[in-house]
Amino acid sequence: MLTALWPASGVLAADPVMPTVRVGVYENAPKLFLGKDGQPSGILGDVLMAMAERERWHMVAVPCEWQACLNALARAEIDLMPDVAYNEARAQTFDFHQVPALLSWSQLYKRKGDPIQAITDLHQKRIAIITGSIQGPFLESMLDSFAVSATWVHVDSFEQGFEQVRQRNADAVAASRFFGDLQASRFNLEPTAVVFQPVQLFYATTKNKNALLLAAIDRHLSVWQTQSDSPYAQALQRWLQTAPEFVIPRTLWWLLSALIAALALALAMSTWLRRQVVKKTEHIRAGEERLNTILNSVDAFIYIKDTALRYQYVNSRVADLFGCNAEQVIGQTDGAFFDEVTVAKLRAHDLRVIEQGERVEEEEVNRSLDGRMTQSFLSVKLPLRDSAGRVYALCGISTDMTRRKQAEEAIHQLAFFDPLTGLPNRRLLQDRVQQLLISLPRLPQHAALMFLDVDNFKDINDTLGHDVGDELLRQIADRMRECVRAQDTLARQGGDEFVVMLVNLSTQPGEAARQAQQVAQKLLQRLGQRYQLSAQTCQTSVSIGVALIDDPTETREELFKQADMAMYQAKAAGRNTLRFFNPEMQAQVVARTTLDADLRWALAHDEFVLYYQPQVDDRGKTLGFEALLRWQHPMRGLILPAEFIAVAESSNLIVGIGDWVLRSACLQLQALSLHAAHSHWTIAVNVSAAQFRQPDFVARVQAMLLQTGANAARLELELTESQLVDDVSDVIDKMDALRDIGVRLSLDDFGTGYSSLAILKRLPLNRLKIDQAFVRDMLDDPQNASIVRAIIALGESLDLAVIAEGVESRPQRDALLALGCHHFQGYLFGRPRASPEAAACAPGSAQAGL
């Protein structure tokens, strides 16, 4: 922390004593390093020392590695750390000033000759990164988006990372472009085309300390960055200026001419002098050749232009770009190689260098003269001055950013567009809907959100294959493009769901609905036509749900829910159907949501109860009971299952409710076993499909029997036919396991499902239960009577007991008995009661009904 000479008020005290500032310094030339004088040096170091001189700060450099510097700053062991990139995580620990001190980006460097140029080349490679830097998480996320896996080698400094690559302990190293461009050749490394993460660099201080220090830094930066002769500009020029050997001075040619003239006038001079001149000339020529070799081997486009913007020098990369040799480029202007728009842009940048002496760093997109080739460059242009300080030329160094741009475009495409259809994906759709809602107060209009679902896509996908299904989705997308305007948004949510957002509809609600309906009908008609898929023809249809958008207070999520609900209403109404969202639909959803919450409360607070309906034989003797679930709601009273079972199944509460029913029935069985007259009674419990599908269902039944002490032989589980069609082998295995522990099994509502005789004969059942729908009309409908007769005959042939439910009259009972059915359940024998004893003895029970 700064010494007490810094006042708490935030204004510098008029104190003659120089405040001490402890600065963390790590090796990252040319941005920051420790100078020979023991003070911070480099771009950021020189700028800081210039501020210290004007502010009368006493600077104390504290050498440290990068992560150690950050740790020391967090603990207030140093006051200031230069070269810190801002991010949200660091802002929780450190304070930053407002004006960025420097702009930078990161690049990967590799050994010369190693085949690493693109992101995909990094798969299974080792990449060195500085511990605690922001480069690591960003690069890891970027590699993940390309499904590239790499191994991370953590180092303490860029120099250590470069050394790891040179020693072959790593394949590539991530570094800032300042350090990399300066140091790569020293380690025999070269840059790759992988450039990423442009960042703003700051000076950072310990959280909630040294606000005055940051304010002073902001004040100087805001002034110096606008001045071409400021300490900031001088630091940039000092550390980023192109090396002198890049310039071809004209005085060199005058010197050669003078030497030649001197030779002509001194023919009589000694042979020794002539030999010295020859050696000197050969040395100069060798120097020029070495310089050309270096410039031609650099992975950059290097050129020099005179004040008329004519090329005076180009390296081989520039000549190759223009498709000619270097001699053909000399003397030409950009107009010979680029189109008019590019020429005008380049000229504006070049004149800033020639006329104002500025250092220009711009990202340029250049188009060739014929317009067929477009490339992106990051260009740095520097003024070349003579001894009098006048600008006589500019030197440009450009790096090809085309691959980086292509990679960015590919990332954008993957992030916001569906790869199968090329349509915007859900993420981009959500963004556009949000922008529309924001604009509604400013630009009043109606809009509409349409959800489309392909009606029988799963059948097509399963029967014809996924390739055909994908082709169908592409053709659907193409047809939908024909039906919407350019300003509308067409998106694919995923699977077989598409979304259309119509904008700029009428401000009148009725007319806006009519316009949306017109587009929807057009979509229904176009998408309902036949499709040619490879060698096959198929036909499908869609269901469309529409939600109108006119209220800016509605949220994006609400609109999506409304369109989704309307779409499901359309599907429920039949294929190729359109439905608009309405308030009644919303009320149903709210009621369903409330019921879901009440069910969760009921399960947690024991609001469910079991009622018992007797099952009797042909003599009226009570054999057992079926346990029937009821909900004792504190406000609505007793609620029957028909009102809440569907919600329980959709919210997956049915499993918990089913376990409660099963445990309660077991406890009741144990209570009945304590009375000899009741110990032979059985209790039948309905088991839902979701409950039966649980992998540990058998184990849970066995555990409940053990915990309650109930007799397994008195427990009967009723399954439905729909449970038999999913996975027959698994169903049979579970039923066998239940039979092995003594549990009885029956098939409920037999005749209403899809089970086949082939499956039925494999099941370890004890009883079939005739559905009450057949019993109710058997006296009036011969077909129902025939079905009942067939079920009874089937039970006898499979040695299964048969019970008829829903028996409400003596004629029904007599008819069933005549057909060979001897077990009954229904109101004739007793209504459901809160206890088995009450149900067995109630008026209208077995004895009263006979």
Side-chain angles (χ1 to χ4, degrees), residues 47 50 54 220-221 223-238:
V47 171
R54 287 157 177 77
H220 286 295
L221 287 176
V223 174
W224 288 355
Q225 289 182 357
T226 63
Q227 299 174 347
S228 59
D229 59 346
S230 66
Y232 182 87
Q234 292 170 2
L236 290 176
Q237 186 174 14
R238 180 182 306 116

Side-chain angles (χ1 to χ4, degrees), residues 109-117 165-166 168 171 184-191 294 297-298:
Y109 294 81
K110 64 178 181 67
R111 290 184 296 276
K112 290 184 178 180
D114 282 5
I116 300 177
Q117 286 301 327
V165 176
R166 180 166 67 176
R168 298 187 176 276
D171 301 300
S185 59
R186 184 163 71 90
F187 291 87
N188 199 30
L189 305 186
E190 61 183 3
I294 293 172
S297 63
V298 172

